[in-house]
Amino acid sequence: MKQFFKIAFVIIAISSFTACYYDKKDQVYPQVVVAACDTTNVTYSVTVTGILNANCTSCHGASANSLGGGIVLNTYATVKPYITNGRLVNSILQNGNASPMPKNMAKMDVCSINKIIVWVNRGAINN
Ligand code: HEC
C-alpha cells in the first residue's frame, strides 16, 4: 500500500509539472525597437507590399523569374505560406534559421523589418 502511494505521488508530481506545458500555435516574434518607426497603420496592401517591392520582388516577382529560386512574393496568397512557416521573418532577420534575405545583401533597415514583424504579429492578415 505504501508503495502505491509513492507511485501515485510521483505520477501527480510529474503531471503537475507537465500540465502547464503546451506548444505555442503561432510564433510571436520579438519586435526590434527603434525610434521614429511608425507601425500604427501597418497593412499588407501598402506597407508590406511596398517593402517587398522595394527589396524582394526583383527576384521574387513573377513565377517565371528564376532569380528567386521559384519563390514568388508578389501576392498575398504566395507570401502567406512563407509567413506561416516562419521562413520570411527568419530570412529578413538573417538569424540563421532561413536563407538570409535580401540575398547577398545586408539586412534591410530596422524599421522595414519591424513593420513586417508587426504585421505578422497582428495576424498577417490581407488588409
Ligand atoms: C538577388 C535575388 C534575391 C533577392 C533580392 C531576394 N531573394 Fe529571397 N531568395 C532568392 C533565392 C535565389 C532563393 C532560394 C535559394 C536560397 O534559399 O538562397 C531565395 C529564398 C528565399 C526564401 C526562402 C528561404 C528559405 O530558407 O527557405 C525566402 C523566405 C525569401 N527568399 C524571402 C526574401 C525576401 C523577404 C526578400 C526581400 C527582403 C528577398 N527574399 C530578396 C533570391 C533573392
Side-chain angles (χ1 to χ4, degrees), residues 52 55-56 58-60 67-69 71 73 82 87-88 91-92 98-99 101-103 105 108:
L52 297 184
N55 299 281
C56 317
S58 55
C59 295
H60 295 293
L67 290 172
I71 295 165
L73 301 176
Y82 288 96
R87 296 240 162 226
L88 196 147
S91 75
I92 60 174
S99 199
M101 293 291 145
K103 198 165 182 65
M105 282 177 244
M108 291 190 292

Side-chain angles (χ1 to χ4, degrees), residues 47-119:
T47 325
V48 175
T49 302
I51 295 167
L52 297 184
N53 284 347
N55 299 281
C56 317
T57 52
S58 55
C59 295
H60 295 293
S63 54
N65 189 348
S66 58
L67 290 172
I71 295 165
V72 180
L73 301 176
N74 64 356
T75 67
Y76 178 78
T78 55
V79 167
K80 189 70 201 293
Y82 288 96
I83 299 300
T84 306
N85 68 17
R87 296 240 162 226
L88 196 147
V89 171
N90 285 326
S91 75
I92 60 174
L93 286 173
Q94 306 199 347
N95 63 6
N97 295 324
S99 199
M101 293 291 145
K103 198 165 182 65
N104 301 327
M105 282 177 244
K107 273 192 227 180
M108 291 190 292
D109 65 286
V110 181
C111 188
S112 296
I113 295 173
N114 200 25
K115 283 174 176 172
I116 291 184
I117 288 173
V118 166
W119 173 70

Side-chain angles (χ1 to χ4, degrees), residues 2-94:
K2 239 181 172 180
Q3 186 69 14
F4 168 78
F5 282 119
K6 239 185 201 167
I7 291 168
F9 175 76
V10 168
I11 290 170
I12 290 165
I14 290 171
S15 58
S16 65
F17 278 123
T18 54
C20 293
Y21 176 81
Y22 58 93
D23 280 307
K24 278 195 201 141
K25 195 158 171 268
D26 296 303
Q27 214 175 338
V28 172
Y29 298 95
Q31 288 178 33
V32 187
V33 180
V34 285
C37 184
D38 186 0
T39 57
T40 36
N41 295 314
V42 169
T43 61
Y44 172 74
S45 58
V46 176
T47 325
V48 175
T49 302
I51 295 167
L52 297 184
N53 284 347
N55 299 281
C56 317
T57 52
S58 55
C59 295
H60 295 293
S63 54
N65 189 348
S66 58
L67 290 172
I71 295 165
V72 180
L73 301 176
N74 64 356
T75 67
Y76 178 78
T78 55
V79 167
K80 189 70 201 293
Y82 288 96
I83 299 300
T84 306
N85 68 17
R87 296 240 162 226
L88 196 147
V89 171
N90 285 326
S91 75
I92 60 174
L93 286 173
Q94 306 199 347

